[in-house]
Amino acid sequence: MPLLAVLGLLCLAIFLIPPLLLRRRAAIRSQEYLVACQPTPVPVIHNAGTGYVLRMSSFALLFTLGARGELWAVIIASVFLGLGFWLAYRSRETLLPFIHTALSRGQSFTLHNFIASRAGDDQRVRLLASGLTLVALSGFVAAEAYGLASFAQPLLPQSPLAAPLLTLVLLLAVAAGTSIAGNSGVLQAAQLQLGLFYFGLFGALALLLYLHVSELAALPPQAILAFPIAAVSCVMISIYRRSKYVDATPLASRQDSDRIPYVPQAARLLRRCEKILNPCISVLAGLIVALALMEIFSLGTAPVLQNNAVALRNGMHLPAMAMISLSMLPLFYPLVDAATWQRLAAAAKNDKNA
């Protein structure tokens, strides 16, 4: 329990440090507060988008389905998650000109204004879209809080109030970090959380693979299928990321009179930690590939292929509505989420200042 408490405080500190370093004066314009107080590097925006979608609750669900043998459900959800990223990326060519125009005129750059602009600037359409978004976000936040509490309950003391209190503290921390620095602090905090997610995921996976390799115990087919998937995934992620999982651009590049005095030293320390984190994640990814290859060679290529075929022959046992939810949510949520439009606006602001 002390270790879990330390890890929880570490995660909380990682989210709060960038907003504290980027906090601005109270008289800041609303557009800068909601978009970006200062130019944000493009890799930070990309990392924040990835980390925002890859939330712990989503991956906890996929891990649970994988442990139950629902491999096709996990595969389909992962494919639609990739398609959702691709759809949001391809839509930028249509959305960025609208956002550029809205920012230059000081107008709303949200999805609701975009939909209304395609319907002759009808205010009733904007009101309807805004109302649907509020209802959907309220339900989604409630579901996220419930999922977080359910996931954390086994790790907490046997108290009925432990999980709700933890959820409340995390929600208050997120609200505090957002209110201090606006979207600039959220972007920097989200990319740090992505780096921590990579580190924790690769570290846990390397530990599990080491335990399986050292015990030489018989494994079920779905566990054997995980070895080649883990090796290929780590290689692809390392090549795509080029061993740069967190952008280490200086967080406080200029001095403002209203900043607290320890900001430059804290920003340098944070940048040094980011530079250390990147090679550590690469080492863990290489360790996963080495352990997976050792297990594959020890079992033999033919038995591994046979077990993979057996694992994939298991059908889907989830209800049709559950599969539709697992497919449609990752496909369309990145495009309709308000945070995506804020990141696009931050990218458009960078182009404007370039």
Side-chain angles (χ1 to χ4, degrees), residues 14-27:
I14 286 177
F15 181 83
L16 291 178
I17 288 175
L20 288 174
L21 296 180
L22 290 173
R23 71 177 189 178
R24 297 285 172 158
R25 57 186 179 274

Side-chain angles (χ1 to χ4, degrees), residues 38-40 42 100 346-354:
Q38 62 182 10
T40 305
V42 175
H100 271 292
K349 187 176 181 179
N350 285 347
D351 296 339
K352 181 180 178 181
N353 294 333

Side-chain angles (χ1 to χ4, degrees), residues 217-255:
L219 298 174
Q222 60 265 28
I224 296 177
L225 177 61
F227 285 100
I229 291 179
V232 173
S233 300
C234 287
V235 170
M236 293 180 62
I237 291 175
S238 299
I239 293 176
Y240 176 75
R241 305 293 303 191
R242 297 180 181 178
S243 297
K244 190 177 181 181
Y245 306 92
V246 177
D247 184 76
T249 302
L251 198 59
S253 58
R254 56 184 182 180
Q255 304 299 321

Side-chain angles (χ1 to χ4, degrees), residues 58-351:
S58 301
F59 268 83
L61 175 61
L62 295 183
F63 287 151
T64 303
L65 292 175
R68 290 169 48 188
E70 297 285 352
L71 298 181
W72 280 109
V74 176
I75 293 173
I76 292 174
S78 302
V79 169
F80 275 91
L81 179 63
L83 291 176
F85 276 113
W86 178 83
L87 181 62
Y89 177 77
R90 293 295 300 176
S91 301
R92 78 192 193 284
E93 298 179 358
T94 303
L95 302 180
L96 281 177
F98 162 77
I99 294 176
H100 271 292
T101 303
L103 290 177
S104 61
R105 296 177 180 177
Q107 299 175 346
S108 172
F109 55 85
T110 60
L111 171 66
H112 324 110
N113 195 32
F114 177 77
I115 295 175
S117 66
R118 294 300 187 269
D121 289 328
D122 193 332
Q123 298 300 319
R124 293 171 297 180
V125 175
R126 181 185 301 177
L127 181 61
L128 176 61
S130 303
L132 291 175
T133 300
L134 288 177
V135 172
L137 285 179
S138 300
F140 192 76
V141 170
E144 286 278 312
Y146 179 78
L148 175 61
S150 301
F151 179 76
Q153 184 65 54
L155 306 176
L156 297 173
Q158 297 301 320
S159 172
L161 297 179
L165 286 177
L166 174 63
T167 305
L168 179 61
V169 169
L170 292 179
L171 290 177
L172 291 177
V174 172
T178 304
S179 61
I180 290 173
N183 196 42
S184 292
V186 172
L187 292 175
Q188 295 287 347
Q191 78 134 1
L192 278 178
Q193 288 180 329
L194 178 64
L196 182 64
F197 172 80
Y198 279 130
F199 184 79
L201 178 63
F202 288 176
L205 185 55
L207 179 61
L208 289 176
L209 291 179
Y210 173 77
L211 292 177
H212 283 305
V213 170
S214 60
E215 290 179 358
L216 298 176
L219 298 174
Q222 60 265 28
I224 296 177
L225 177 61
F227 285 100
I229 291 179
V232 173
S233 300
C234 287
V235 170
M236 293 180 62
I237 291 175
S238 299
I239 293 176
Y240 176 75
R241 305 293 303 191
R242 297 180 181 178
S243 297
K244 190 177 181 181
Y245 306 92
V246 177
D247 184 76
T249 302
L251 198 59
S253 58
R254 56 184 182 180
Q255 304 299 321
D256 294 331
S257 59
D258 59 344
R259 285 195 173 187
I260 44 184
Y262 59 79
V263 164
Q265 294 80 6
R268 285 195 294 268
L269 179 60
L270 180 63
R271 186 186 183 192
R272 188 175 297 112
C273 293
E274 291 173 343
K275 290 183 176 180
I276 296 174
L277 181 62
N278 285 327
C280 290
I281 297 175
S282 297
V283 170
L284 290 176
L287 181 60
I288 291 172
V289 174
L291 291 173
L293 292 178
M294 289 173 57
E295 180 67 17
I296 292 173
F297 289 144
S298 65
L299 294 175
T301 305
V304 169
L305 293 177
Q306 292 175 0
N307 281 277
N308 293 349
V310 171
L312 293 175
R313 276 201 297 266
N314 293 331
M316 291 184 296
H317 305 93
L318 292 180
M321 289 303 299
M323 287 306 307
I324 293 175
S325 300
L326 284 174
S327 304
M328 295 297 101
L329 179 63
L331 178 62
F332 294 112
Y333 183 76
L335 184 60
V336 302
D337 183 54
T340 301
W341 290 74
Q342 286 182 296
R343 290 188 292 271
L344 290 173
K349 187 176 181 179
N350 285 347
D351 296 339

